[in-house]
Amino acid sequence: MGGGGWKGGGGPWGQGPTGGGQSPDLEELLKRSQDRLKQAMPGGGLGGGFLALILIVAIAAIGFYSFTVSVQPNQEGVVLRFGKLNRILTPGLKFRWPYPIETVYVPPVTNVNRAEVGLRLAANTSIFSTSGEIAARDVPEESLMLTGDENIVDVDFIVLWKIKDAAQFLFNIQKPEGTVKDVAESAMREIVGQNNIQPILTKSRRETEDSVKALMQKTLDSYGAGIEITQVQMQKVDPPAEVIASFRDVQAARADQERLQNEADSYANRVIPEARGDAQRILQAAEGYKEQTVAEANGRADRFLDVYEEYAKAPAVTRKRMYLETMERILGGTDKVIIDNNNGQGQGVVPYLPLNELNRAPQRAGGGQ
């Protein structure tokens, strides 16, 4: 061969030693390399030195890429040495032995993946469209589920997941995306089957999502899948389309029933305390009347006993006093004519000056003026 290259015991940069076993001078080798490179430049002809340089660069590049691997920030490097798990590589440029000694897998461990059950979103679209509504195709064979009270409900939901153990994810299960979807559908059917339809459609939606997430995580951990469930999002929970109109009528009737029940409870809560207050007031008034009547009766009895005691001491005086008091009450408000009999010796009618009538007469006269 002309030019450089491998010649007998020569090196890749040119002619080797010609005898004596002496090694070539390093400066001479560098000078020869520069000369070969100049000859390979345009106008100098394409010599063997340039080919040798390209060969060396190619060998260096192949060696570099064969012994290194670049792990991106969202990845982990799983290194197999002769098919057996050897180590996990963190992000960065890492050393590895070339194939077939070592093989490196770099799954994206920080990417959030999604599994769609009961619906199919268009490719490269977000969960929600710009209008805020789901832009998806319904898959009824996945979404129709039986509740605990033997009703059918149409459930569309999305599961968000990511890799938490790269080695388990790569080697413990086949088709991890399909496994996540199957586990999600199975878990949702189990949770829905344990509950009635009414709570699932209304107040227990968040509880259902949490229960499905926990059951999925437990199942995947038992498989050693190396997957973490980050969120379960129920997109649509409705009765089947064939009965949704009737179901809404039933829901409206139940809402009316609850409203009327609340109104009745409100009325009862208002009327019952008022009735109890009136009853308590009547009882207290009766107790007061009872105490008053008993006290008056006791007072009258005591007064009678006191009068009787005095009567027993002087019956004549007491009788006369009682007579005078009685006559005073009877005659106090009537017109009277006093006649003095005096055992037949009196003059008869006693002159009586009606002072009260005289006092009233001037008053009437003054009022007439």
Side-chain angles (χ1 to χ4, degrees), residues 93-332:
L93 190 62
K94 304 296 180 180
F95 172 82
R96 61 90 179 264
W97 292 103
Y99 181 84
I101 300 175
E102 287 186 347
T103 305
V104 180
Y105 297 92
V106 284
V109 295
T110 62
N111 290 1
V112 177
N113 308 282
R114 76 187 183 200
E116 304 158 358
V117 181
L119 74 163
R120 294 292 183 273
L121 299 178
N124 300 324
T125 59
S126 61
I127 296 176
F128 293 99
S129 64
T130 56
S131 61
E133 299 179 354
I134 296 179
R137 176 175 58 86
D138 192 33
V139 185
E141 57 270 22
E142 295 178 358
S143 61
L144 294 179
M145 303 180 185
L146 187 65
T147 64
D149 53 357
E150 298 182 354
N151 284 299
I152 297 177
V153 64
D154 190 356
V155 182
D156 295 346
F157 66 102
I158 294 175
V159 177
L160 303 181
W161 60 276
K162 64 180 182 179
I163 302 171
K164 70 175 181 178
D165 189 308
Q168 290 183 349
F169 176 79
L170 291 172
F171 308 120
N172 284 3
I173 58 175
Q174 292 182 344
K175 299 181 179 179
E177 294 82 1
T179 300
V180 171
K181 180 180 177 181
D182 293 340
V183 171
E185 183 178 349
S186 176
M188 181 62 75
R189 291 186 182 277
E190 179 173 346
I191 298 301
V192 169
Q194 295 174 355
N195 295 274
N196 296 336
I197 187 172
Q198 188 64 28
I200 295 175
L201 296 175
T202 56
K203 60 184 179 181
S204 297
R205 184 164 178 165
R206 181 61 181 273
E207 290 79 357
T208 301
E209 292 176 345
D210 294 340
S211 299
V212 172
K213 175 184 175 182
L215 182 57
M216 286 189 63
Q217 191 65 64
K218 180 180 178 181
T219 304
L220 291 172
D221 289 345
S222 67
Y223 295 164
I227 293 174
E228 178 185 359
I229 304 300
T230 60
Q231 191 176 6
V232 176
Q233 300 176 351
M234 298 178 69
Q235 302 298 322
K236 183 187 72 172
V237 185
D238 288 324
E242 295 79 4
V243 299
I244 191 169
S246 300
F247 186 85
R248 287 175 178 171
D249 292 339
V250 173
Q251 292 298 102
R254 288 180 177 174
D256 292 339
Q257 178 185 5
E258 293 181 0
R259 177 179 57 80
L260 294 175
Q261 182 65 41
N262 292 334
E263 291 177 357
D265 292 341
S266 176
Y267 176 75
N269 293 335
R270 184 182 72 254
V271 172
I272 291 176
E274 291 179 356
R276 288 176 178 172
D278 293 340
Q280 190 66 25
R281 179 179 54 80
I282 293 172
L283 289 176
Q284 291 177 355
E287 289 291 337
Y289 176 74
K290 171 187 174 182
E291 293 177 359
Q292 177 185 356
T293 303
V294 171
E296 290 178 356
N298 290 332
R300 291 175 182 177
D302 293 340
R303 179 174 175 275
F304 179 81
L305 292 176
D306 293 339
V307 172
Y308 177 76
E309 291 177 358
E310 296 298 327
Y311 173 78
K313 294 178 182 179
V317 175
T318 303
R319 282 197 300 270
K320 187 174 182 179
R321 181 178 61 79
M322 291 177 64
Y323 172 77
L324 294 175
E325 290 177 355
T326 302
M327 295 305 294
E328 181 181 3
R329 289 197 302 272
I330 294 174
L331 300 176

Side-chain angles (χ1 to χ4, degrees), residues 11-67:
W13 291 100
Q15 181 68 34
T18 57
Q22 295 180 355
S23 60
D25 185 37
L26 181 59
E27 293 182 358
E28 183 179 355
L29 289 176
L30 291 175
K31 184 178 179 180
R32 290 180 181 179
S33 300
Q34 292 175 357
D35 294 339
R36 300 292 183 184
L37 183 59
K38 290 178 180 179
Q39 294 177 3
M41 295 299 290
L46 185 60
F50 181 69
L51 295 176
L53 179 62
I54 293 177
L55 180 62
I56 292 173
V57 172
I59 293 174
I62 293 173
F64 176 79
Y65 286 107
S66 298
F67 285 90

